[in-house]
Amino acid sequence: MEIALFIPCYVDQFYPQVGIATLELLEKLGCRVTYPAAQTCCGQPMANSGCEQDAVQTYRHFVKTFEGFDYIVVPSGSCAYHVRHHYDVLEQTEPVQRVREKVLDLSAFLLNVLEISKLDSSFPHRVGLHQSCHGLRGLRLGTGSERNMEEESKLNQLLEMVEDIELIELQRADECCGFGGTFAVAEPAISVKMGKDRIADHTRAGAEVITAGDMSCLMHLEGILRRQKSAVKVMHIAEILNGNSI
Amino acid sequence: MSQHAKKAETFIANEARTDWHDASLWMVREKRDRASKSITEWEALRQMGSDIKDHVLANLDTYLVQFEENALQNGVQVHWAADAAEHNAIVQSILDKHQARRVVKSKSMLTEECHLNQHLEKNNIEVIDTDLGERIIQLLDEPPSHIVMPAIHLKKQEIGDLFHEKLGTEAGASDPQYLTEAARQHLRQKFQACDAAITGVNFAVAETGGVVVCTNEGNADMGVHLAPVQIHCMGIEKIIPRWQDLGVFTRLLARSATGQPITVFTSHYHRPEPGKAMHIILVDNGRSKQLGREKFRNSLKCIRCGACMNTCPIYRRSGGHSYGYTVPGPIGSILTPGIDLKKYSDLPFASTLCGSCSDVCPVKINIHEQLYWWRQEIAKENALPAAKRWSMRLAGWTLAKPSRYDRMGKLARWALRILPRFITYNQMNTWGKGRELPEIPKQSFKEWYTKNKS
């Protein structure tokens, strides 16, 4: 099984430890992982701003970089969602279709492909899980509170495999954090207010750490936490699953 | 900054009020959750509602003609209006024919959309909104901020002050029971004196030629039964094929809107009472155009429940007036660009694309996908702010080639590390207004990998 690791651009630049944790975790689970050095970005920043035509070259580059692999694993529901859902503007050649189908968020890869049922990690802290929207509602990595059906959240399933972890309960289980890509800078007032409200929900419940499947949400929340000089930390779920400490 | 962003910033400046607004609407969302989860077939019902509406939109011409034929047979007078002006002129001509000068109206977002009140008032016709929330904002001379709860942005104390000024209630009184009773007495006089009644329409049944109006206050019935002439104004998309389809929608509508199993009143109007007149006006006002846009067509499935507003984290924190259109929130943001793309070009961007709107929608409109698609249309029409346009062009150029990306990444990290705070946190950095930038690492993941792994 040829597995490629895709590290989102902003994770590559700002949160290398998340990429390292993802790689270490996959290797610990026995995967042989390749990191194609030519990779850049999935193209979502341009496309979500309406500039799909400016993203097409990046899409093509993405397909070219990853076309030979059996799976493309990315520690981001949002990037996986973008490739799977919005690469429809490309001509649907065999490599394009294959790449779209084979891009998987880390949690889906761990549970659906590797089918893991236990992890060798411990995290003795009170943790709040932020359900990133593109993973939850886009990729259906769980059931949003809007829907009347039962399907357990993949992120919850994974966190429950971690020893000594204490998952806190939120008043609003899956409200958006307010990041939203360029929304964060185009509508800063609402974006920050939404983030503050999410943080308040987590701190009320006593979270020491806020985790998520998408570092972009956490980058936004971390920015607010640090401005508030809060002691609450953010960690990507890959870091917790890998057994990193705070 | 966009119009929506500016208005949102003003709204949020009063944080306590924003929290109150957010909590009021979240409570409605929670009621909706409980009501929808109390029936096991909820998701199947949504699918059925969606399928029926899709079918209607695909056969709208046939159903409209069938509806008209049946309504005419029932003795109803049917009118067709291509746009708002034609609609208002038709209403005016009916009122003139009946020499009606005092009109009571039950809630109708269509007449809001057509600015009927302003038109009638200009022609010296008194028009009184009889839905409590609508009456409140009419007395305040404000547009609705929500399609189901038009005065949701107001506190009871503010309504008390308004009623004291306009209806003579006691100064400082804000007890909802007391204020409602005052409104009731005031409206009772208006009902008894009216010459004509206007209502909106929730559903129009092609098979019977009848229209259905859902209210919680019974005000549509009060008007219709007291007035010698009744006028029902509806968008052409309100058609459903059969009588038996109605149950699907009444169950979806009230649960989605307010968390009730059904609205208190479901009023069915089929024919005029003896000696009275009944008119139905079918209004297009841009709907055919939207029907012709394949990607955006199914926005016309909307049954105006308002659930997408209640769930929208942006709507709850910016208020309905921040959208600048009769129908605010997510559904408004996919309807408005079809009406005037340049004017409303900021609305599809007033969203994080979180997708909650699509998942609460009782007729499964893919609202968040349409928001994304409208963004593309807006960029194609050159209606993006220049700064965004050019920064995205630069980003696209950079990210298309690894060498450019690697170099730019390194440069940006270096600059962010060495530049003093007053430069990195300048006025232009809207990220930094309320947030810190990430702590910048010396090494990217790629650099780490190259050094340690390859």
Side-chain angles (χ1 to χ4, degrees):
Chain A
M1 190 162 61
E2 290 287 324
I3 301 160
L5 179 63
F6 167 44
I7 298 300
C9 52
Y10 68 96
V11 173
D12 176 40
Q13 296 296 333
F14 299 141
Y15 297 99
Q17 74 276 15
V18 174
I20 296 169
T22 309
L23 180 63
E24 283 178 358
L25 175 65
L26 290 169
E27 287 181 341
K28 261 192 251 173
L29 293 166
C31 300
R32 222 184 58 218
V33 182
T34 309
Y35 172 77
Q39 63 183 271
T40 61
C41 167
C42 69
Q44 182 173 195
M46 292 80 82
N48 272 15
S49 307
C51 303
E52 218 167 35
Q53 63 269 44
D54 292 322
V56 168
Q57 287 306 325
T58 305
Y59 292 177
R60 293 205 178 106
H61 177 70
F62 186 94
V63 173
K64 207 174 85 195
T65 307
F66 289 104
E67 66 181 321
F69 293 93
D70 296 318
Y71 291 102
I72 303 138
V73 181
V74 49
S76 159
S78 190
C79 303
Y81 172 73
H82 191 74
V83 174
R84 294 177 82 90
H85 286 259
H86 291 306
Y87 277 32
D88 56 349
V89 291
L90 295 179
E91 191 196 337
Q92 295 302 296
T93 58
E94 199 270 325
V96 170
Q97 287 180 32
R98 197 178 149 77
V99 163
R100 290 179 70 187
E101 191 192 328
K102 295 299 180 184
V103 167
L104 287 179
D105 165 65
L106 175 67
S107 65
F109 180 75
L110 294 178
L111 289 171
N112 296 357
V113 179
L114 296 186
E115 296 182 330
I116 65 164
S117 56
K118 58 179 175 35
L119 276 168
D120 181 25
S121 61
S122 155
F123 195 75
H125 299 284
R126 288 172 67 84
V127 175
L129 171 60
H130 172 70
Q131 294 280 7
S132 298
C133 300
H134 287 173
L136 181 71
R137 300 190 190 86
L139 295 175
R140 303 291 189 205
L141 298 176
T143 303
S145 55
E146 300 87 359
R147 302 165 85 213
N148 188 359
M149 49 180 70
E150 294 293 325
E151 213 172 289
E152 209 195 331
S153 149
K154 292 208 184 327
L155 278 74
N156 265 312
Q157 282 178 60
L158 289 167
L159 287 173
E160 275 158 15
M161 294 177 198
V162 176
E163 272 181 39
D164 309 316
I165 196 167
E166 192 186 336
L167 287 172
I168 55 136
E169 200 151 319
L170 295 168
Q171 286 179 5
R172 299 185 188 181
D174 49 23
E175 190 177 41
C176 177
C177 70
F179 171 67
T182 47
F183 177 85
V185 287
E187 294 247 17
I190 295 211
S191 174
V192 169
K193 176 65 180 145
M194 285 166 69
K196 278 167 71 178
D197 290 353
R198 282 293 77 235
I199 287 169
D201 198 356
H202 284 269
T203 50
R204 253 195 314 269
E208 296 165 65
V209 173
I210 303 174
T211 191
D214 264 294
M215 205 58 215
S216 49
C217 311
L218 295 176
M219 173 168 74
H220 163 68
L221 295 176
E222 183 192 41
I224 299 168
L225 284 165
R226 283 180 46 224
R227 180 63 60 88
Q228 292 174 340
K229 305 206 186 313
S230 165
V232 175
K233 301 283 177 215
V234 302
M235 284 174 85
H236 189 275
I237 192 167
E239 296 178 90
I240 294 179
L241 301 180
N242 189 46
N244 292 15
S245 49
I246 290 187
Chain B
M1 212 192 275
S2 78
Q3 277 301 311
H4 182 270
K6 272 186 215 152
K7 289 182 193 163
E9 195 176 32
T10 312
F11 191 86
I12 286 179
N14 187 342
E15 192 163 2
R17 195 180 178 101
T18 306
D19 289 339
W20 164 81
H21 189 264
D22 168 68
S24 310
L25 288 150
W26 184 256
M27 193 176 73
V28 185
R29 155 78 209 270
E30 286 184 316
K31 280 189 192 167
R32 171 258 168 222
D33 287 352
R34 282 194 295 274
S36 61
K37 284 166 188 169
S38 71
I39 51 173
T40 50
E41 69 273 30
W42 179 252
E43 297 299 333
L45 203 59
R46 284 176 75 216
Q47 189 60 50
M48 203 180 278
S50 170
D51 290 346
I52 295 170
K53 282 282 183 178
D54 277 335
H55 170 77
V56 167
L57 291 176
N59 300 279
L60 192 57
D61 51 345
T62 316
Y63 283 124
L64 279 168
V65 171
Q66 189 193 356
F67 174 76
E68 182 188 32
E69 277 170 12
N70 288 326
L72 289 171
Q73 260 179 19
N74 294 339
V76 177
Q77 297 174 59
V78 180
H79 312 260
W80 298 81
D83 55 26
E86 233 176 86
H87 163 264
N88 293 347
I90 293 167
V91 174
Q92 174 86 52
S93 72
I94 298 168
L95 296 176
D96 286 347
K97 204 175 96 190
H98 292 271
Q99 292 171 331
R101 281 291 167 267
R102 287 178 304 253
V103 177
V104 289
K105 206 174 101 208
S106 109
K107 200 163 81 199
S108 153
M109 283 301 121
L110 176 73
T111 59
E112 290 279 354
E113 173 189 322
C114 295
H115 303 294
L116 177 69
N117 286 15
Q118 292 88 326
H119 173 87
L120 295 180
E121 281 158 6
K122 245 192 287 171
N123 290 286
N124 299 317
I125 293 170
E126 179 191 73
V127 50
I128 302 290
D129 276 302
T130 58
D131 170 270
L132 178 57
E134 280 284 326
R135 185 63 185 139
I136 290 167
I137 57 159
Q138 189 184 27
L139 288 171
L140 263 182
D141 198 22
E142 273 188 8
S145 72
H146 189 287
I147 57 172
V148 173
M149 301 166 285
I152 191 72
H153 60 293
L154 296 170
K155 296 195 170 192
K156 59 185 180 186
Q157 292 80 3
E158 290 160 339
I159 295 163
D161 293 345
L162 174 74
F163 279 16
H164 171 63
E165 186 197 330
K166 304 277 186 180
L167 306 180
T169 54
E170 279 172 46
S174 66
D175 173 46
Q177 183 95 34
Y178 169 74
L179 295 177
T180 309
E181 182 58 25
R184 197 181 156 88
Q185 295 307 329
H186 157 73
L187 286 171
R188 184 59 57 104
Q189 292 167 15
K190 299 293 181 187
F191 279 125
Q192 284 173 334
C194 73
D195 308 316
I198 298 177
T199 83
V201 170
N202 290 97
F203 308 102
V205 185
E207 173 182 74
T208 66
V211 295
V212 179
V213 181
C214 304
T215 74
N216 278 326
E217 299 168 32
N219 50 321
D221 286 328
M222 283 288 277
V224 165
H225 295 312
L226 286 165
V229 52
Q230 67 192 87
I231 306 170
H232 306 283
C233 308
M234 58 175 275
I236 52 172
E237 82 283 16
K238 294 287 169 191
I239 297 273
I240 57 171
R242 301 164 305 181
W243 181 246
Q244 71 185 74
D245 301 323
L246 183 62
V248 174
F249 293 102
T250 50
R251 295 183 79 197
L252 286 169
L253 176 64
R255 282 185 172 83
S256 299
T258 54
Q260 294 164 272
I262 194 163
T263 46
V264 178
F265 297 87
T266 303
S267 309
H268 305 257
Y269 305 115
H270 287 103
R271 52 185 60 79
E273 286 175 45
K276 293 188 181 182
M278 174 170 166
H279 297 261
I280 294 173
I281 310 176
L282 294 150
V283 185
D284 186 325
N285 205 30
R287 286 161 176 78
S288 310
K289 236 192 226 167
Q290 188 80 335
L291 191 62
R293 296 182 181 112
E294 203 185 331
K295 279 188 161 168
F296 304 109
R297 170 178 301 154
N298 85 15
S299 59
L300 293 171
K301 294 196 296 192
C302 178
I303 58 171
R304 300 291 191 269
C305 70
C308 63
M309 291 156 212
N310 307 337
T311 201
C312 179
I314 286 113
Y315 173 90
R316 278 188 267 110
R317 291 173 181 84
S318 66
H321 291 154
S322 65
Y323 294 81
Y325 183 69
T326 314
V327 182
I331 183 68
S333 299
I334 60 170
L335 291 173
T336 44
I339 297 164
D340 186 337
L341 184 132
K342 295 247 151 93
K343 184 176 174 191
Y344 298 111
S345 65
D346 60 332
L347 295 185
F349 292 93
S351 162
T352 55
L353 305 179
C354 80
S356 185
C357 46
S358 304
D359 278 352
V360 292
C361 179
V363 288
K364 299 184 97 164
I365 302 171
N366 54 341
I367 303 177
H368 73 293
E369 289 182 321
Q370 293 190 39
L371 288 167
Y372 176 88
W373 293 331
W374 272 120
R375 292 179 181 191
Q376 314 307 326
E377 297 298 318
I378 287 160
K380 270 187 224 156
E381 297 292 325
N382 282 320
L384 281 184
K388 187 181 260 181
R389 186 80 204 84
W390 287 104
S391 59
M392 288 306 138
R393 197 160 282 179
L394 176 67
W397 181 82
T398 307
L399 295 168
K401 277 253 187 310
S403 54
R404 291 177 199 153
Y405 162 76
D406 293 345
R407 226 175 301 132
M408 289 286 261
K410 205 173 175 127
L411 184 71
R413 273 185 289 118
W414 173 78
L416 286 170
R417 268 203 319 272
I418 63 145
L419 288 172
R421 189 174 172 93
F422 77 91
I423 294 181
T424 47
Y425 286 83
N426 65 39
Q427 281 283 303
M428 301 279 285
N429 175 4
T430 52
W431 176 276
K433 272 189 192 170
R435 283 163 295 214
E436 292 297 302
L437 292 161
E439 283 179 273
I440 308 300
K442 286 214 168 107
Q443 228 174 21
S444 69
F445 174 78
K446 198 181 274 189
E447 287 163 354
W448 172 87
Y449 188 89
T450 314
K451 200 180 269 176
N452 296 284
K453 287 280 185 172
S454 54

